[in-house]
Amino acid sequence: MTLEVAITFELNGRPSTAAVPVDRSALAMLREQFGLTGAKLACGEGECGACTILVDGRSVNACLMAAVDCDGRTIETIEGLRDADGLHPMQQAFVDHGAIQCGYCMPGMIMQAKYLADRQPDLSREALRRGLEGNICRCTGYQKVFDAVAAAAGLPKENQP
Amino acid sequence: MKPIEKKSVIGGRVPKPDAPDKAIGRTQYINDIELPRQLVGKILHTDRPHARIRGIDTAAARALPGVHAVLTGDDVPVMIFGMNKDNVPLKKGKVRCIRDEVAAVAAETEAICDEALRLITVDYEDLPGVFDPAEAMQPGAPAVHDDRPDNLSLAYKFDHGDIGAAEAESDVVIDDVFNVHYVTHCCMGPGCVIADFDTDGRLTIYSQTQYPYNFKMDLAPALGMHPGDIRVIQPPVGGAFGSKLDVYPFEPVAALLARAARRPVKLVFSREEEFINAPTRQPARIHLRTGATRDGILTFRDVNCLLNNGAYTSWGPTTPYVMMRTFSSHFRVPNVRYRSQAVYTNNPYAGSFRGYGNVQATYASASHMDMLAERLGMDLLELCLKNAQVSGEVSPQGSRLNDMAFVECLTVAGEKTDFTAKAARYAAERDRPGRIKRGIGLASSIHNAGGAKIHKSDGCGTMLKLDDYARCTVITGASEIGQGIDAVICQIVTEELGIPMADIIVANDDTAIAPWDVGVHASRTTFIAGNGAQRAAQKAREQILRAASHQANLPWDALDLREGWVVQNENGEPVVKLDKLLREMHFQDEPELVMVADYYEPPSEAEGPNHTGDMSAAYSHAVHVAEIEVDTETGEVHVLKVTSVQDVGRVINEMGLEAQVEGGIIMGLGYALSEELKIEDGIVKNPSFRDYKLVTAPEVPELELHFIESDSKTGPMGAKGIAELPTIVIAPAVANAVYNATGVRFRDPPLTPEKVARAIYEHRSPKVAAE
Amino acid sequence: MTSVTAVEGGPEEYAAATSVEQAVQFLAGGDGTILAGGTDLMVEAGRAVTNCKRLLNIRRIDDLRGVTEEDGQISVGALTSVSDMLADPVLVAEAPILADTADRFASDQIRNMATIGGNVCNASPAGDLILPLLILDAELELVAWREGGLATRRVALGDFFTGPGQTVREPDELLTAVTFAAPGDGFRALFMKSGPRPALEIATVAAALGLRLDNGAVSHVRLAFGSVAPTPIRARQTEAYLQGKELNDSVIEEAGAMAAEEVTPIDDVRASAWYRRHLAGVYTRRLLGNDT
């Protein structure tokens, strides 16, 4: 049996506990122990961003985040974004702007987009493109993702740089 | 009540119905599904490209606690599948490429599976491998399949006119070999399958397949089953792009494990496994000769293709079907000769991939147009316009080119980009000092846009019902793989039935329920499934309006359906609320429910043995202009802007259409500049996103899209299929732009920084480079 | 015969240290593997984290995070994340090249997790962050638990690497800080990396230059390259050539040719030796010409 450690942390605004094998990733913990399958395992090496979650307010690849180190931290996943009234404005913008096709990369993309918009309210188009460099999408070509984030973040409508 | 105006939802910007669930992480993709009592399945792939299997020792693996099944080729009957009948799920006797499935394990956890695989030992006798198709054709080359000693696989030929005579009449003949490379789909959702047998031995398979019905037919022989005993469920998938149009061994292997273990088995690829095992795009050596008169009229194309078949045969070596179409109908070409030969090698093998042969062929044909223009001292746009077909022409293969907009696409592209002036200006700058050079390039192509009758039927079934609340369910054979057919069907049904899109469910994920469709390929889904949905909705509409005509005291065709009401067509006066009418129809003395069925077969012809036939019900064109900058020292190519002009027939979902075109262009840019699956001596050297370079967000150029509405007489509401052309046309546009900027022609994509830097270096200093 | 056992796996021991002392005491027990950013250790392929014996989580040692300056000496805590380096006011003011290089590193998500200590100890021949540290003449502070107390030693960064992924760090040592003298005014420092991606790229070639000019002549020069040798290196011959020279076109040209000769790249799946030499030359000329 693999060594396990008990951890407590805040998950999508709620206090949570788990017993995690010490070599487990946060991604595996979220998916297998909490049923939060929004974040995806798509590469397992931090190259694609499909597993992006927020830890203590910063975006990280959950596949590279040690579950044991979630102890005492604040974790936010895509499932925690919406509230009783409906979708988070960033989620709604992705829907409204046609930024979602197969959607597999979108939980990670939306979490990263939210992180960028919250961190930098005057996000430039160029900074937005850089900020999404760790999120791979094979379907959309990114155009409508930029449009959605720009709309949700209230950026002026302008041509691509 | 006020009169209700007719409003159309065609042409609008419609979000996908499944987008909200995807945005909140609620969608259960196949990779997320866990069946009760499910076991984990894993495959032991061989690590060598050609070897005899002398023995496999699975004793330790079988004894490992938590292991429920261990299978090798010796544990199952030989069950041959594949279009060339050259494949079996678990390999017996020898391995022929590094994908080969030597053993498989089903166990309670992934960790136990991994341990079991580690405990399996295989005794190999290495055999000499052959990796180059030209070498594999030579007498004495190692035979990949013992029963095919010459290594020859599928061959195709097409002839039209007289090449010899055409060559004699040509003032110019250009002759080049293009080597187009291995790329792979990189679906964000890695390969995944769940197999579950019931007690009668019937199989339910949760599959990423994009052709569920013929999939049953192709899977059955690999399992020794009857196709009718296979039920295919299609959960949402993380992309497909053509990679799921055949049976690949991991799926029957999962089913064999499930059968042996008597429990459901889920098998998922790691990303590394995905890179190695997913079918690639078909690479090709294309020897193209193009002839023209000094006035720029094309006289002939003469093509010889050598295809690397790989170790087994999937849809890669059949891409000549489409390549022939490109070479014979990309511009007006009176004489055509096409020959291709696929040859077995010990390489991973190719399947279908968005653009399917046309990506490869257009790279050559569109490069040649650019080269021809230069040879003739003519503007490329002028050369294109001289040879562009117009409506009413028939291609050498018998494609009836109706509702054409090729000339318009070319003209608009030229105007919007100031192509001719810029091309001249940038060419003049080439030899001036300065390390950054600008270039502009233009390319075009033609593709089928009304299905492709490669099987006896190219049709799609649709069933439609309305309940007592006027909520509609459309059961379509067409698969939703992220491309947006769900939204298009909703729009079409809303347009016909006047009910809100939110009240329509599109159901299409279970072959036990949905009717037949040939599959998502050939840019056919909007055209075929859209036509099917429209016909079904029109049947329902007529049934409803006939029922209402008694109340209205008007003939049924003087009525309309708008916003949930039956109204008078002429003035919009409400007659009866739709849901009320439906309940009245239901509960009258002879109840009448609205449940209709339709099967739409497009008016096209299957190709005959000599490869002629009007195999699509529509055709369309796209023209791309790429503007780029090259750093002539580092070789880095930055694409500044792509202008796309595409004949779409009619815009149904403007937002969905843009999304598909944008995504297709970026996919094609990767093909042009950075994506390359590096296979050396049969080994995939870069099976990771780290070293297989997809286009990322900061690299995306400005995109300007134009849609020309040629209004197809055969398409639903005039629409044509659209999704492959964007990937087909962009690569040669970029290559032509790089030539414009540097004077260096690239016949072998991708145009990586190293390749471009080296070619420019050698171009500028051939004496130094020869050292 | 292979003995059959139940599947075990994973580390036998785990600790999350909250002080340097706790951490090095754990490492003194041997067979210790350090979890810092996790961006190398947690990678799925190879399962390094599963295969290690004693796992030490050092991410809770707050003392190891942050940048301080004292008497012109800048100390970057080993756990300082790449994102923190990007924005740190001391670095932005005193050594902006570190911030610039941090901006060219991987992706936002990785930058938020990866640490400077991890990057240095991982000792990749391509280690982007190592190059600006080399041109800043950085030193490393290594701490161990020896004979019942903390033992500290300092190693020049240039002496730290012995091969790809190999360093002189003893298994019981913890890297606690990277230090360098604030360069002050007149120090031109530039970083370049192969593209076209701005960041998420294991560089085909990366280069960094640190330069001081005295009346137009080179009074101090450091030229470092990544991905052209088994470890990140300084091109010492080219540096020696440049020392004292006036930076004109022909000197720059010659330096570029020299650097291309001096580096020892290999052919690999990412690039050929030819291209790496070519880029080394191109980057040298551009860095010296202040033309990035």
Side-chain angles (χ1 to χ4, degrees):
Chain A
M1 280 302 296
T2 311
L3 182 62
E4 284 189 355
V5 168
I7 61 170
T8 59
F9 57 103
E10 190 183 287
L11 178 57
N12 292 331
R14 291 205 155 89
S16 302
T17 64
V20 294
V22 296
D23 61 343
R24 180 161 289 182
S25 69
L27 179 66
M29 176 189 75
L30 291 167
R31 288 179 60 84
E32 293 166 31
Q33 295 178 248
F34 289 90
L36 294 168
T37 56
K40 303 297 181 218
L41 176 63
C43 81
E45 55 176 6
E47 289 280 332
C48 78
C51 63
T52 303
I53 59 173
L54 302 187
V55 176
D56 292 340
R58 291 191 168 189
S59 66
V60 302
N61 294 313
C63 70
L64 298 180
M65 172 88 197
V68 286
D69 198 56
C70 292
D71 192 34
R73 297 195 191 275
T74 305
I75 311 281
E76 294 167 73
T77 73
I78 189 72
E79 291 88 347
L81 274 200
R82 62 163 303 184
D83 61 22
D85 295 328
L87 270 52
H88 184 280
M90 186 63 73
Q91 292 170 315
Q92 191 62 52
F94 272 68
V95 171
D96 295 340
H97 288 264
I100 301 177
Q101 293 186 34
C102 88
Y104 204 79
C105 73
M106 286 296 152
M109 186 78 73
I110 293 171
M111 291 308 283
Q112 178 64 14
K114 174 195 185 295
Y115 168 69
L116 292 172
D118 287 349
R119 185 180 74 183
Q120 223 181 307
D122 59 345
L123 189 68
S124 71
R125 198 83 162 176
E126 190 52 40
L128 169 58
R129 287 150 62 86
R130 281 295 313 274
L132 293 176
E133 65 194 340
N135 288 81
I136 293 182
C137 176
R138 196 48 159 158
C139 292
T140 67
Y142 307 98
Q143 302 300 307
K144 296 196 178 328
V145 173
F146 299 150
D147 292 345
V149 181
L155 303 184
K157 205 155 173 49
E158 57 187 46
N159 286 334
Q160 296 275 237
Chain B
M1 247 212 83
K2 282 169 53 181
I4 304 176
E5 264 182 39
K6 181 80 177 170
K7 277 191 216 125
S8 175
V9 294
I10 302 301
R13 300 180 73 80
V14 174
K16 272 169 110 294
D18 61 0
D21 271 355
K22 288 175 173 174
I24 63 174
R26 184 167 175 251
T27 303
Q28 287 289 291
Y29 292 84
I30 184 172
N31 308 69
D32 302 320
I33 292 173
E34 309 271 315
L35 295 186
R37 304 193 71 239
Q38 170 184 293
L39 295 171
V40 178
K42 284 214 171 194
I43 292 172
L44 180 66
H45 303 274
T46 184
D47 59 353
R48 52 206 71 199
H50 200 200
R52 285 217 187 281
I53 301 172
R54 282 204 282 241
I56 308 178
D57 183 359
T58 58
R62 285 177 207 275
L64 193 63
V67 168
H68 288 249
V70 178
L71 297 175
T72 70
D74 291 330
D75 296 313
V76 295
V78 170
M79 293 173 291
I80 297 173
F81 73 96
M83 73 175 63
N84 235 3
K85 303 217 180 329
D86 59 12
N87 210 346
V88 290
L90 288 163
K91 305 319 191 248
K92 215 173 137 80
K94 73 171 194 168
V95 295
R96 299 177 180 83
C97 73
I98 54 147
R99 290 177 181 174
D100 276 12
E101 300 77 6
V102 172
V105 169
E108 283 162 20
T109 69
E110 192 180 347
I112 297 173
C113 270
D114 285 338
E115 181 64 19
L117 291 183
R118 265 194 294 276
L119 291 172
I120 298 174
T121 53
V122 186
D123 184 18
Y124 290 110
E125 175 200 326
D126 282 313
L127 297 170
V130 63
F131 307 105
D132 175 50
E135 279 173 33
M137 285 174 81
Q138 302 305 315
V144 176
H145 290 264
D146 295 341
D147 58 350
R148 292 167 216 253
D150 56 8
N151 286 325
L152 295 182
S153 178
L154 304 172
Y156 295 88
K157 65 179 212 166
F158 174 71
D159 292 286
H160 183 83
D162 182 340
I163 295 293
E167 197 162 348
E169 281 170 18
S170 307
D171 297 310
V172 158
V173 175
I174 53 175
D175 183 331
D176 290 279
V177 173
F178 298 87
N179 284 296
V180 290
H181 59 304
Y182 284 108
V183 292
T184 185
H185 306 68
C186 293
C187 300
M188 289 310 290
C192 179
V193 62
I194 308 174
D196 186 16
F197 281 90
D198 68 15
T199 49
D200 288 335
R202 295 183 181 193
L203 172 65
T204 298
I205 187 161
Y206 296 72
S207 170
Q208 295 164 313
T209 185
Q210 52 189 111
Y211 80 124
Y213 305 93
N214 282 354
F215 175 79
K216 293 171 5 138
M217 187 177 77
D218 292 341
L219 178 63
L223 298 172
M225 288 181 71
H226 187 280
D229 290 336
I230 298 173
R231 175 181 179 187
V232 180
I233 295 187
Q234 296 167 280
V237 294
F241 314 113
S243 61
K244 319 290 188 225
L245 276 169
D246 200 356
V247 169
Y248 294 101
F250 77 104
E251 289 189 303
V253 167
L256 292 170
L257 286 171
R259 190 189 265 163
R262 292 187 299 283
R263 278 171 66 167
V265 170
K266 178 177 178 184
L267 197 151
V268 184
F269 281 160
S270 68
R271 180 53 60 182
E272 186 182 1
E273 272 182 297
E274 177 72 11
F275 268 107
I276 295 171
N277 292 283
T280 67
R281 187 182 286 286
Q282 178 62 55
R285 179 185 185 278
I286 300 174
H287 182 189
L288 173 64
R289 297 183 327 121
T290 306
T293 67
R294 69 174 60 85
D295 299 324
I297 304 298
L298 293 174
T299 50
F300 75 93
R301 281 199 188 109
D302 182 15
V303 191
N304 253 292
C305 280
L306 182 60
L307 303 185
N308 195 330
N309 194 88
Y312 305 93
T313 309
S314 177
W315 283 104
T318 54
T319 50
Y321 276 117
V322 171
M323 286 205 229
M324 280 186 252
R325 296 262 159 193
T326 311
F327 289 119
S328 68
S329 48
H330 184 203
F331 296 105
R332 190 182 304 115
V333 185
N335 302 279
V336 182
R337 177 167 65 194
Y338 179 89
R339 298 283 183 275
S340 78
Q341 177 67 62
V343 185
Y344 282 102
T345 62
N346 297 113
N347 282 313
Y349 53 105
S352 39
F353 192 172
R354 189 176 195 169
Y356 187 74
N358 203 350
V359 168
Q360 298 90 318
T362 295
Y363 191 86
S365 65
S367 295
H368 254 204
M369 289 303 280
D370 195 45
M371 292 158 82
L372 207 50
E374 190 177 51
R375 238 338 242 289
L376 294 167
M378 196 180 270
D379 165 43
L380 173 59
L381 201 48
E382 188 193 344
L383 178 65
C384 289
L385 287 165
K386 283 195 172 195
N387 294 281
Q389 302 102 321
V390 296
S391 295
E393 294 189 41
V394 179
S395 83
Q397 283 180 285
S399 294
R400 278 180 230 118
L401 306 177
N402 300 322
D403 307 317
M404 289 284 96
F406 193 12
V407 170
E408 192 177 349
C409 288
L410 287 163
T411 309
V412 169
E415 277 167 11
K416 295 286 179 192
T417 60
D418 198 21
F419 173 77
T420 299
K422 280 187 172 169
R425 185 160 75 238
Y426 297 149
E429 300 275 312
R430 254 181 229 155
D431 296 322
R432 303 227 184 96
R435 71 167 201 252
I436 307 286
K437 296 290 177 198
R438 277 217 173 182
I440 190 168
L442 182 147
S444 64
S445 198
I446 181 172
H447 203 63
N448 41 259
K453 195 158 285 180
I454 56 170
H455 301 286
K456 290 196 188 116
S457 171
D458 190 19
C460 176
T462 312
M463 301 188 292
L464 184 154
K465 75 173 178 87
L466 280 156
D467 69 8
D468 294 346
Y469 312 105
R471 305 292 170 94
C472 180
T473 301
V474 182
I475 307 174
T476 175
S479 308
E480 169 61 46
I481 57 169
Q483 86 280 43
I485 187 59
D486 52 354
V488 165
I489 285 179
C490 284
Q491 280 175 275
I492 289 173
V493 172
T494 291
E495 191 79 358
E496 295 291 342
L497 296 182
I499 58 175
M501 278 186 267
D503 287 354
I504 303 170
I505 291 174
V506 178
N508 57 354
D509 58 356
D510 186 343
T511 58
I513 297 170
W516 197 89
D517 173 59
V518 100
V520 174
H521 74 118
S523 304
R524 67 188 283 282
T525 307
T526 292
F527 190 97
I528 311 263
N531 264 328
Q534 184 178 35
R535 286 155 49 112
Q538 283 170 347
K539 286 182 193 175
R541 184 172 179 277
E542 182 176 334
Q543 181 185 356
I544 292 163
L545 296 182
R546 281 189 190 279
S549 69
H550 307 303
Q551 286 189 39
N553 230 351
L554 286 169
W556 73 272
D557 51 7
L559 299 173
D560 196 12
L561 287 168
R562 299 178 193 172
E563 300 194 21
W565 282 82
V566 178
V567 304
Q568 293 185 39
N569 201 19
E570 202 174 32
N571 53 22
E573 281 295 326
V575 171
V576 60
K577 201 148 179 298
L578 176 60
D579 59 342
K580 182 160 180 283
L581 173 66
L582 290 164
R583 287 192 289 276
E584 285 169 9
M585 289 163 71
H586 185 181
F587 298 117
Q588 65 196 340
D589 285 337
E590 288 188 24
E592 206 192 328
L593 269 71
V594 179
M595 308 182 291
V596 304
D598 180 78
Y599 188 77
Y600 173 69
E601 182 69 53
S604 48
E605 305 162 353
E607 268 185 16
N610 53 354
H611 298 298
T612 56
D614 190 16
M615 52 88 86
S616 186
Y619 302 88
S620 81
H621 290 86
V623 179
H624 285 177
V625 175
E627 218 170 321
I628 61 130
E629 257 178 14
V630 183
D631 182 325
T632 54
E633 288 180 338
T634 65
E636 288 173 26
V637 175
H638 291 268
V639 183
L640 302 171
K641 184 172 177 181
V642 173
T643 305
S644 155
V645 185
Q646 185 164 346
D647 168 15
V648 303
R650 173 113 181 260
V651 177
I652 297 188
N653 182 351
E654 188 178 53
M655 197 158 70
L657 175 56
E658 288 170 5
Q660 281 287 291
V661 173
E662 289 160 1
I665 289 173
I666 299 311
M667 194 173 258
L669 271 185
Y671 182 80
L673 291 173
S674 61
E675 289 181 46
E676 185 176 12
L677 196 64
K678 299 179 186 184
I679 304 179
E680 283 167 34
D681 296 334
I683 310 287
V684 177
K685 306 299 266 184
N686 58 337
S688 76
F689 287 137
R690 190 165 299 208
D691 293 318
Y692 181 93
K693 298 292 190 194
L694 294 173
V695 177
T696 59
E699 303 166 80
V700 167
E702 183 188 342
L703 297 186
E704 184 181 307
L705 308 184
H706 298 276
F707 301 128
I708 307 294
E709 291 186 306
S710 59
D711 199 19
S712 165
K713 289 176 201 55
T714 44
M717 322 245 168
K720 293 181 175 180
I722 55 96
E724 291 173 278
L725 271 170
T727 302
I728 289 164
V729 182
I730 184 62
V734 170
N736 290 345
V738 173
Y739 179 81
N740 182 235
T742 63
V744 181
R745 178 69 60 184
F746 289 91
R747 295 169 184 78
D748 304 350
L751 281 63
T752 60
E754 169 162 353
K755 214 182 251 180
V756 173
R758 186 142 200 172
I760 291 174
Y761 179 82
E762 288 171 3
H763 177 74
R764 287 180 170 178
S765 49
K767 194 169 59 139
V768 175
E771 288 159 18
Chain C
M1 190 193 105
T2 322
S3 67
V4 176
T5 55
V7 174
E8 290 162 6
E12 295 163 9
E13 196 182 333
Y14 168 79
T18 50
S19 70
V20 172
E21 214 172 78
Q22 276 180 22
V24 293
Q25 282 173 353
F26 182 97
L27 290 175
D31 289 324
T33 300
I34 295 168
L35 172 68
T39 56
D40 293 307
L41 187 64
M42 295 295 295
V43 169
E44 178 112 332
R47 296 301 299 165
V49 68
T50 299
N51 295 331
C52 75
K53 214 161 165 233
R54 300 176 69 234
L55 184 62
L56 175 67
N57 180 355
I58 62 168
R59 288 164 57 80
R60 306 308 172 109
I61 307 176
D62 291 330
D63 285 345
L64 291 182
R65 240 176 228 106
V67 183
T68 56
E69 180 176 10
E70 200 179 308
D71 293 333
Q73 272 290 111
I74 295 177
S75 178
V76 183
L79 274 187
T80 307
S81 74
V82 179
S83 286
D84 287 344
M85 287 171 63
L86 246 171
D88 183 83
V90 172
L91 293 180
V92 169
E94 305 282 357
I97 188 174
L98 270 175
D100 291 343
T101 306
D103 186 47
R104 305 289 302 274
F105 186 91
S107 67
D108 223 11
Q109 293 93 319
I110 301 264
R111 291 191 283 269
N112 285 337
M113 292 285 281
T115 63
I116 186 162
N119 200 246
V120 169
C121 289
N122 196 46
S124 163
D128 285 358
L129 288 173
I130 293 167
L131 303 187
L133 293 174
L134 277 174
I135 61 129
L136 288 166
D137 294 328
E139 280 192 341
L140 305 176
E141 186 181 272
L142 297 156
V143 176
W145 187 257
R146 303 263 170 82
E147 288 154 18
L150 293 174
T152 306
R153 69 167 172 142
R154 311 189 71 80
V155 177
L157 184 62
D159 298 333
F160 189 60
F161 306 108
T162 57
Q166 292 161 352
T167 71
V168 301
R169 180 182 75 90
E170 298 288 342
D172 66 338
E173 280 181 311
L174 178 68
L175 175 66
T176 52
V178 181
T179 64
F180 55 92
D185 289 333
F187 186 69
R188 188 208 304 172
L190 295 163
F191 173 81
M192 296 189 74
K193 177 174 160 174
S194 56
R197 288 186 185 176
L200 189 68
E201 178 94 28
I202 300 210
T204 298
V205 173
L209 173 76
L211 190 68
R212 281 187 213 283
L213 296 175
D214 190 7
N215 282 332
V218 174
S219 62
H220 172 94
V221 62
R222 299 281 185 266
L223 179 62
F225 290 100
S227 300
V228 295
T231 70
I233 54 153
R234 272 171 54 190
R236 291 179 193 264
Q237 286 169 34
T238 309
E239 288 175 358
Y241 165 77
L242 284 166
Q243 189 66 36
K245 299 250 181 352
E246 191 195 309
L247 259 195
N248 57 39
D249 284 350
S250 84
V251 166
I252 290 175
E253 194 68 34
E254 179 63 27
M258 256 190 130
E261 272 305 296
E262 190 175 352
V263 297
T264 56
I266 55 169
D267 293 321
D268 70 10
V269 69
R270 292 188 193 110
S272 68
W274 180 89
Y275 186 58
R276 289 190 161 115
R277 281 190 195 281
H278 176 80
L279 279 186
V282 170
Y283 287 172
T284 300
R285 287 193 296 275
R286 291 189 186 180
L287 288 167
L288 290 170
N290 215 358
D291 168 25
T292 54

